[in-house]
Amino acid sequence: MSRKHNENVLPPAYEGVERHLMALFYSGVYVTNADIVKVGKLLGLDLPLKDRMALLKQIMYHAHENNMKSQMMQGFIQLLQERTKIYNDLAQNFPTAAPLIQQWIQKARSTIMLLQREMRSNPYE
């Protein structure tokens, strides 16, 4: 029973990352339930589709407990890079929307840099 409770508690090292990933305003990308489940599969988790925040907390708890922070971050980086490619295609195909799409691309790239920095950081510093 306590394990179930712990999976809903976000490790402190991931709080800023969680808020950034879940907010379209900051990340430029809407991360869906299916996206989170896909990243979970990279970590060996078989997750049911449910609330995005619950899924993300479960993945982050698993990554924290199993020393898989880098793999988790890399999964989200890959997701953001895929979306950036799609955004670039959209900007080329729809030039009038390009200024707005460029903002999404910039936010996604900033989020990628944040995740890369978090991957290299020591949570005990």
Side-chain angles (χ1 to χ4, degrees), residues 3-11 14 17-19 21-22 30-64 72 76 79:
R3 179 177 166 101
K4 185 107 173 135
H5 172 70
N6 287 340
E7 287 178 355
N8 291 324
V9 176
L10 191 63
Y14 298 113
V17 172
E18 170 260 340
R19 279 187 236 118
L21 277 173
M22 290 291 105
Y30 182 81
V31 179
T32 67
N33 305 31
D35 294 331
I36 298 170
V37 168
K38 184 178 172 184
V39 172
K41 284 184 187 208
L42 295 173
L43 303 178
L45 291 172
D46 188 24
L47 301 169
L49 284 178
K50 56 182 178 181
D51 178 66
R52 291 180 329 132
M53 194 61 73
L55 288 170
L56 185 61
K57 286 180 181 180
Q58 192 172 351
I59 287 174
M60 289 183 165
Y61 179 79
H62 178 78
H64 180 72
M72 180 191 67
F76 284 112
L79 169 72

Side-chain angles (χ1 to χ4, degrees), residues 43-106:
L43 303 178
L45 291 172
D46 188 24
L47 301 169
L49 284 178
K50 56 182 178 181
D51 178 66
R52 291 180 329 132
M53 194 61 73
L55 288 170
L56 185 61
K57 286 180 181 180
Q58 192 172 351
I59 287 174
M60 289 183 165
Y61 179 79
H62 178 78
H64 180 72
E65 289 295 309
N66 295 288
N67 199 25
M68 299 178 87
K69 179 180 180 180
S70 293
Q71 293 93 324
M72 180 191 67
M73 295 293 184
Q74 192 57 45
F76 284 112
I77 289 169
Q78 182 179 355
L79 169 72
L80 292 167
Q81 289 171 335
E82 290 169 3
R83 295 288 166 80
T84 301
K85 287 179 187 176
I86 293 169
Y87 288 165
N88 279 321
D89 291 342
L90 285 171
Q92 279 188 324
N93 293 329
F94 302 98
T96 56
L100 174 63
I101 295 169
Q102 288 300 325
Q103 290 176 11
W104 299 341
I105 292 169
Q106 182 57 42

